[in-house]
Amino acid sequence: MQLYTYFRSSAAYRVRIALNLKGLNADYIPVHLLNNGGEQHSDAYKAVNPSELVPSLVDNEFQLSQSLSILEYLEERYPETALLPQDIQQRALVRAFSLAIACDIHPLNNLRVLQYLSGTLEVSDEQKNTWYRHWVDTGFKTLEALLHSSNGRFCFGDQPTFADCCLIPQVYNALRFNVDITAYPKIASIYQHCNTLAAFQQAAPEAQQEAA
Amino acid sequence: MQLYTYFRSSAAYRVRIALNLKGLNADYIPVHLLNNGGEQHSDAYKAVNPSELVPSLVDNEFQLSQSLSILEYLEERYPETALLPQDIQQRALVRAFSLAIACDIHPLNNLRVLQYLSGTLEVSDEQKNTWYRHWVDTGFKTLEALLHSSNGRFCFGDQPTFADCCLIPQVYNALRFNVDITAYPKIASIYQHCNTLAAFQQAAPEAQQEAA
């Protein structure tokens, strides 16, 4: 398998965590989102992923985009070290939590949107940062509420799931923008715990070759 | 089951289609996103869904948010009239297509974001409409590319899937904002076909009681 990845992309970071948790190997192919006018816009990359976004997974000839679809694919194809619970309702809650990040926080704050705000709409850096923090705070309030009955070391119990694969990159990203996460004690505690584990550490942006 | 819904919400519309395709009954509880300061912000609704977004599904005591998680839940709980293919790679492609709408188009153009643009950032109506169309056009180019080998009446073959549940509401929404969909022939053809079917017609905004 090959994973097209960018070290700072939250969405690629989700997949890197999942691959590590499942003990799966993939060759990482860096796609630099800033260099060369954004390598995701190259014809070569568009042939892999027409959305011009990372990540993409290639498994033999099979090309797949969208981090959550990649997680579901890995789960179905390599069910060992399951990242979804067995119980139907618990699976649904894990997916809802993951989507609350992947649909309601991250799309508003990713690179192309921040570039549109600064470029086309000419908003100030202060307005852009306020925008960023607004959607993170709105989303984190929801996540903290969804975790109200969580007492495990991970989002849902004592095993990592898709939810942790999505949460850790989002928190990492928020900290880069100086969001105060002490207001979200469950999120902060899960973030701290996950980052003690090799699967998460080795997926982090600073652990990627490109970051060197 | 109860579905908390708003007639114009694309995300609720996805679930209404899926319920109809599966022949499942749910009581619809309208949550008006504009009246009374936005009924999604009421304490009563927040107790059902802390994200203050629609839709939410309640199945006995079980509360679930996020339209795509609701679709997955319905698929696992009521597998008849499957809305995902059996083949693992085809399932992955259906999910990737659905997420390309649910993550990369809709979150940028939903009500709360347009309200933030007009309200907090004070952008003009023209700039807001340009923003809207920019993300739809960017996303629809991706969708059309993802459909390049599609020859069926639906997005993936001759049976409706999650992809159609997501595409039809997004196109409906785009048409309200005067996006020209003739540039996307596969999308236009699938939209036209789906709207000949009762399951889609009865899920449409104008078919909801609140629209009367």
Side-chain angles (χ1 to χ4, degrees), chain A residues 50-51 53 62 64-66 69 73 76 88-89 91-92 95-96 99-100 102-104 107-108 112-113 116 131 142 145, chain B residues 50-51 53 62 64-66 69 73 76 89 91-92 95-96 99-100 102-104 107-108 112-113 116 131 142 145:
Chain A
S51 76
L53 295 166
F62 179 61
L64 185 60
S65 59
Q66 292 292 336
S69 181
Y73 173 74
E76 294 188 347
I88 288 181
Q89 293 190 342
R91 294 163 73 82
R95 288 185 173 119
L99 289 160
C103 294
D104 295 342
L108 293 160
R112 63 180 192 158
V113 172
Y116 190 102
W131 161 283
T142 299
Chain B
S51 76
L53 295 166
F62 179 61
L64 186 60
S65 59
Q66 293 291 338
S69 180
Y73 173 75
E76 294 189 349
Q89 295 190 341
R91 295 163 73 82
R95 287 184 173 119
L99 289 160
C103 295
D104 295 343
L108 293 160
R112 62 181 192 159
V113 173
Y116 189 103
W131 160 283
T142 299

Side-chain angles (χ1 to χ4, degrees), chain A residues 3-20 28 54-55 67 71 164-173 191 195 199-206 208:
Chain A
L3 181 71
Y4 289 81
T5 174
Y6 176 60
F7 71 121
R8 276 194 175 140
S9 156
S10 292
Y13 188 176
R14 294 171 195 156
V15 178
R16 295 195 301 260
I17 296 170
L19 287 166
N20 292 347
Y28 287 0
V54 292
S67 60
L71 263 55
D164 306 283
C165 297
C166 293
L167 179 63
I168 303 316
Q170 183 59 65
V171 175
Y172 180 95
N173 202 320
Y191 183 71
N195 279 334
F200 288 84
Q201 288 168 357
Q202 290 164 10
E206 59 270 18
Q208 306 311 301

Side-chain angles (χ1 to χ4, degrees), chain A residues 151-165:
Chain A
N151 288 308
R153 296 170 301 158
F154 297 98
C155 293
F156 291 86
D158 284 322
Q159 298 296 328
T161 64
F162 288 4
D164 306 283
C165 297

Side-chain angles (χ1 to χ4, degrees), chain A residues 2 7 10-11 19 29 42 46 50 75 80-81 83-84 91 108 117 119 129 134-135 143 147 152 171 174 178 195 206:
Chain A
Q2 289 97 44
F7 71 121
S10 292
L19 287 166
I29 304 175
S42 70
K46 277 194 263 188
E75 185 75 0
E80 281 184 38
T81 316
L83 299 179
L84 283 175
R91 294 163 73 82
L108 293 160
L117 288 172
N129 290 334
H134 173 75
W135 299 115
L143 299 181
L147 293 171
V171 175
N178 302 313
N195 279 334
E206 59 270 18

